[in-house]
Amino acid sequence: MLDHLIAHDDNLRMVPTDRNELTAAIGRLHEELRALPEGSDPSRARILTRWIGIGEMCLDHHDEARAHLQQALDLAAAIGNTRAVVTTGINLADAHRYAGDVQTADALYRSALSTARGRYPELLDFALQHTGKHLMERGDLADAQSHLLEALRLRIAKGNTELVESTQAALDRVGLLISQADAAATDPAAPSRQWTAWLQSRTTTKTPDRWAEDFPALQDAVRLLSAQQRVHPRHLRDQSIPTELIGVMAKEAEQAITVNGYLHNGKWNAAVGDAANRFAEHIDLATIVARSTGLDVEQPHNAVYIAYLEEGQFLDFHVDTIGFGEANLILCLKHEHPTGESKVSTTVFITADGYLECALATGDCVVFDGALTPHGRTPLSAGESVTLISFGFRARDRTLRTVTNLLPAPA
């Protein structure tokens, strides 16, 4: 119904061949849906609603896509069309995957795959193909390859050249990712450097006025990172952290940076001392991270003081080397700026939906996955200074500590 208006990008996601034409075609489907007589066969409404959802998914209208595909799935179940339940369930899983909701997508794919194996073998290759691409985006490359090889065998048996080519393209992509992951195993920092170079060639924290213009060129790639994040960035306020502990660390940080500070990526870093160690012993930071993110972590295994002290000082977009931790918590120890200054330096992230700025005041925290979340800091204004401490946490689940989670940057 809309097949001729849909193609696949380099990451094997569905995209419009012509955005305006696809939008117009979806509008016509809406008109037909509204014109259906009351009491008419719900099968037509199901088909129209499903294709509207697929079209909206291609246009990155995530909420609309999920709403229509859920409606189509409900209609299929209500009329007892379990075959359509499988196909639409896969479409709905795709919509959740495209929106970054990995957990819901995973449950939908597995349900559809189980039903296809048990009742609809003619749909098994379809379920395997889409589940394989989901696993690929999660970084589960061996499982992705296994699913896609099974899909390829089934599609060769069907004799459908177009389907065979589609699965072969997915296998080629997985093979490339596996080879790059193998290469990264000998140099764990290589993928991080590649992503950082790719990000900095396309956008910068220095010019926020350009971000809306920059973002479309980043969106698909950042979605791939977001789908694998173990922690999504969150600005935490009112954590009831004693101000006296923060003040003691701020003084220690100032002295450490003055005496032993070193420039790293344009900012001042310094090793933490007794005040930071006592703070980590007194405050249950692992519980703060787990409560705010859902990721069960150990107590922090490392920390560093960070300071921005000069007008114009900034930290450009980058991702951290895997190893600092599966979760990062940055606590603001001190943020000074002239009274009434409206434009202050912020910690900024690139997410699947755009740029997220966090203006950290003293005592505020931000948690995120530094290896899989592009982040940086916007330039300081005149008379402004920022002092932070960054803690790294390891996930208790060791399966989350794998370099293969970081897919290679786009070519």
Side-chain angles (χ1 to χ4, degrees), residues 114-411:
S114 176
T115 304
R117 283 194 188 279
R119 300 183 60 182
Y120 298 101
E122 72 277 12
L123 298 179
L124 184 55
D125 63 305
F126 179 54
L128 287 164
Q129 172 87 358
H130 286 250
T131 304
K133 290 196 287 186
H134 161 65
L135 293 168
M136 177 189 72
E137 289 192 7
R138 285 185 55 186
D140 297 338
L141 301 180
D143 282 348
Q145 188 176 54
S146 174
H147 281 71
L148 291 168
L149 284 170
E150 185 179 356
L152 181 64
R153 289 192 293 269
L154 293 170
R155 290 183 164 185
I156 289 172
K158 281 186 174 182
N160 187 317
T161 303
E162 185 177 351
L163 293 179
V164 169
E165 290 175 353
S166 175
T167 303
Q168 188 60 60
L171 277 166
D172 291 345
R173 174 69 175 162
V174 171
L176 174 63
L177 296 177
I178 289 173
S179 65
Q180 290 173 330
D182 289 344
T186 60
D187 182 6
S192 303
R193 288 197 301 267
Q194 292 164 4
W195 270 106
T196 295
W198 187 86
L199 290 161
Q200 293 178 0
S201 71
R202 286 160 176 79
T203 190
T204 175
T205 63
K206 291 181 68 175
T207 54
D209 291 344
R210 279 183 40 195
W211 287 351
E213 178 184 345
D214 292 340
F215 187 64
L218 305 169
Q219 192 170 36
D220 288 340
V222 173
R223 277 206 199 98
L224 292 179
L225 287 177
S226 298
Q228 302 168 80
Q229 284 170 358
R230 297 149 295 194
V231 172
H232 295 286
R234 293 193 62 183
H235 188 169
L236 306 180
R237 302 176 178 88
D238 302 323
Q239 293 301 305
S240 300
I241 298 173
T243 56
E244 61 272 18
L245 295 180
I246 294 175
V248 172
M249 278 195 295
K251 290 180 181 178
E252 180 178 80
E254 181 179 2
Q255 182 177 9
I257 288 163
T258 300
V259 176
N260 294 311
Y262 56 95
L263 278 172
H264 178 66
N265 291 339
K267 65 188 187 314
W268 289 101
N269 282 15
V272 299
D274 291 340
N277 292 330
R278 285 195 300 270
F279 174 82
E281 292 172 0
H282 184 79
I283 303 298
D284 189 354
L285 293 170
T287 295
I288 292 176
V289 172
R291 185 174 59 238
S292 60
T293 68
L295 180 70
D296 188 18
V297 295
E298 299 171 350
Q299 293 297 334
H301 68 101
N302 57 26
V304 63
Y305 285 131
I306 300 170
Y308 301 83
L309 304 174
E310 296 91 24
E311 180 182 357
Q313 196 171 14
F314 73 103
L315 176 61
D316 220 342
F317 287 116
H318 66 287
V319 291
D320 298 334
T321 302
I322 288 182
F324 190 77
E326 287 66 60
N328 303 68
L329 182 146
I330 291 177
L331 168 63
C332 181
L333 302 178
K334 195 175 188 181
H335 189 173
E336 296 183 330
H337 53 82
T339 303
E341 176 64 55
S342 59
K343 185 179 181 182
V344 298
S345 175
T346 62
T347 301
V348 61
F349 304 92
I350 308 178
T351 74
D353 297 319
Y355 296 82
L356 172 65
E357 288 191 86
C358 298
L360 300 180
T362 300
D364 281 1
C365 307
V366 62
V367 290
F368 61 102
D369 185 342
L372 296 170
T373 312
H375 59 284
R377 173 164 285 276
T378 61
L380 267 64
S381 300
E384 186 176 12
S385 65
V386 181
T387 305
L388 312 164
I389 184 170
S390 177
F391 294 96
F393 300 80
R394 293 197 182 281
R396 292 189 186 278
D397 182 353
R398 290 182 172 271
T399 63
L400 296 175
R401 306 181 191 177
T402 170
V403 73
T404 58
N405 274 8
L406 182 55
L407 295 177

